[in-house]
């Protein structure tokens, strides 16, 4: 296996007795390395929109006698700063997630609310491309976890499905429970993912061909947030995709079955 980082401390307890404390710091080192990497990536990613805003500001100054150009540069500046805001929000979300890893106090989480909210949030983007977002499957399901995290994961999947879909298509969000877990699937008829890229899409900041869908203004962090949520919940995220035809992302989370759910009409968690 990989080299382990072990420290040993020796404390003499008497002339013939010593106490040896051995501490395995491998995990700590790894966490440190991941954090260093993350900070380096974050700085790199922040530099791009900040650099663009700086250039646009200079262009505005130079074009002071051309009101049309000023307006064009200014609206691109506004777009770039929106992108920067989105990026900072996702970075904060991801570092918050990493802070409570693994989940300490799971709660029963109602999926209907979360899915309805994710669909609502994507409604403007979906509407502008005439995409129908429909829900199906079992309603009233609950998972065991953290409301905010599950909500972030589902929202990211639905908003990706809409972003990478063709106009006039359908996005389906479907739920089912089986063997103590709940599957939440988000199915789109969008651009799909090339099979040689599919292993990489869950990496932080990774985007398939950023130039191809620059207009979607993504950050490459959404799926790493989903993956993290799956991991902290002891769940799973899987993807099937055919390039040019569409993708299905399935998030699997541990099911919470309300005690006496089928015996009593009174729901204890509502
Ligand atoms: P982004 O902010 O770029 O959407 P994500 O981490 O959410 O970042 O996704 C990483 C990449 O995976 C995206 O840039 C896109 O190339 C690809 N991707 C994610 N979801 C889909 C989807 N539903 N259809 C096609 N490609 C997708």
């Amino acid at each position: 296996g990989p080299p382990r980082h072990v420290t040993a401390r020796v404390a003499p307890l008497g002339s013939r007795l010593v106490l040896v404390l051995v501490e395995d710091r491998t995990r700590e080192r790894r966490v440190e390395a991941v954090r260093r990497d993350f900070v380096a990536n974050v700085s790199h990613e922040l530099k791009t929109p900040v650099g663009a805003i700086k250039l646009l500001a200079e262009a505005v100054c130079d074009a002071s006698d051309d009101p049309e150009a000023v307006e064009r540069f200014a609206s691109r500046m506004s777009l770039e700063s929106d992108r920067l805001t989105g990026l900072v929000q996702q970075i904060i979300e991801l570092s918050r997630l990493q802070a409570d890893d693994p989940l300490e106090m799971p709660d029963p989480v109602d999926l209907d609310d979360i899915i309805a909210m994710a669909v609502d949030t994507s409604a403007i983007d979906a509407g502008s491309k005439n995409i129908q977002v429909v829900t199906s499957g079992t309603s009233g399901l609950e998972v065991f976890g953290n409301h905010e995290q599950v909500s972030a994961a589902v929202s990211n999947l639905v908003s990706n499905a809409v972003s990478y879909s063709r106009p006039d298509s359908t996005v389906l969000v479907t739920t089912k429970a089986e063997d103590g877990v709940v599957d939440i699937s988000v199915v789109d008829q969008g651009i799909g993912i090339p099979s040689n890229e599919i292993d990489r899409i869950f990496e932080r900041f990774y985007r398939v061909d950023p130039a191809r869908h620059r207009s979607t203004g993504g950050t490459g962090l959404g799926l790493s947030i989903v993956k993290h949520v799956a991991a902290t919940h002891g769940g799973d995220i899987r993807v099937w995709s055919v390039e040019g035809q569409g993708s299905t992302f399935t998030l699997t989370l541990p099911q919470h079955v309300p005690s006496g759910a089928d015996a009593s009409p009174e729901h204890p968690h509502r």
Side-chain angles (χ1 to χ4, degrees), residues 47-232:
K47 275 181 190 155
T48 311
V50 170
I53 290 168
K54 167 96 175 141
L55 285 176
L56 288 163
E58 284 169 10
V60 166
C61 289
D62 292 345
S64 51
D65 52 352
D66 181 352
E68 240 171 66
V70 167
E71 202 182 306
R72 209 170 55 237
F73 293 142
S75 77
R76 280 207 35 215
M77 256 169 94
S78 165
L79 215 75
E80 288 295 336
S81 51
D82 285 348
R83 182 173 299 183
L84 191 58
T85 306
L87 183 60
V88 169
Q89 266 165 7
Q90 283 199 312
I91 289 167
I92 291 168
E93 203 169 302
L94 194 59
S95 53
R96 269 226 313 265
L97 279 178
Q98 285 169 336
D100 52 53
D101 169 28
L103 206 59
E104 271 175 18
M105 300 248 282
D107 293 313
V109 174
D110 180 357
L111 285 181
D112 289 352
D113 289 353
I114 283 176
I115 291 169
M117 211 162 75
V119 172
D120 261 14
T121 310
S122 68
I124 292 177
D125 287 341
S128 71
K129 290 164 78 180
N130 191 32
I131 291 168
Q132 306 279 354
V133 184
V134 296
T135 57
S136 78
T138 315
S139 59
L141 290 176
E142 290 183 1
V143 295
F144 214 44
N146 173 290
H147 187 278
E148 217 183 318
Q149 291 193 21
V150 175
S151 181
V154 174
S155 290
N156 273 309
L157 291 177
V158 174
S159 100
N160 276 350
V162 170
S163 293
Y164 302 111
S165 275
R166 298 177 206 298
D168 310 314
S169 63
T170 299
V171 168
L172 173 68
V173 185
T174 169
T175 44
K176 77 166 205 284
E178 203 174 50
D179 301 328
V181 295
V182 174
D183 283 344
I184 306 152
S185 292
V186 181
V187 187
D188 68 54
Q189 304 165 324
I191 60 174
I193 301 154
S195 54
N196 61 323
E197 304 265 11
I198 215 151
D199 290 338
R200 303 207 58 192
I201 57 171
F202 295 98
E203 290 173 21
R204 286 186 298 222
F205 299 114
Y206 190 81
R207 310 192 65 205
V208 178
D209 189 5
R212 183 173 55 160
H213 41 63
R214 187 172 295 282
S215 60
T216 61
T219 60
L221 284 178
L223 287 180
S224 52
I225 289 172
V226 177
K227 186 180 166 189
H228 214 89
V229 170
T232 58

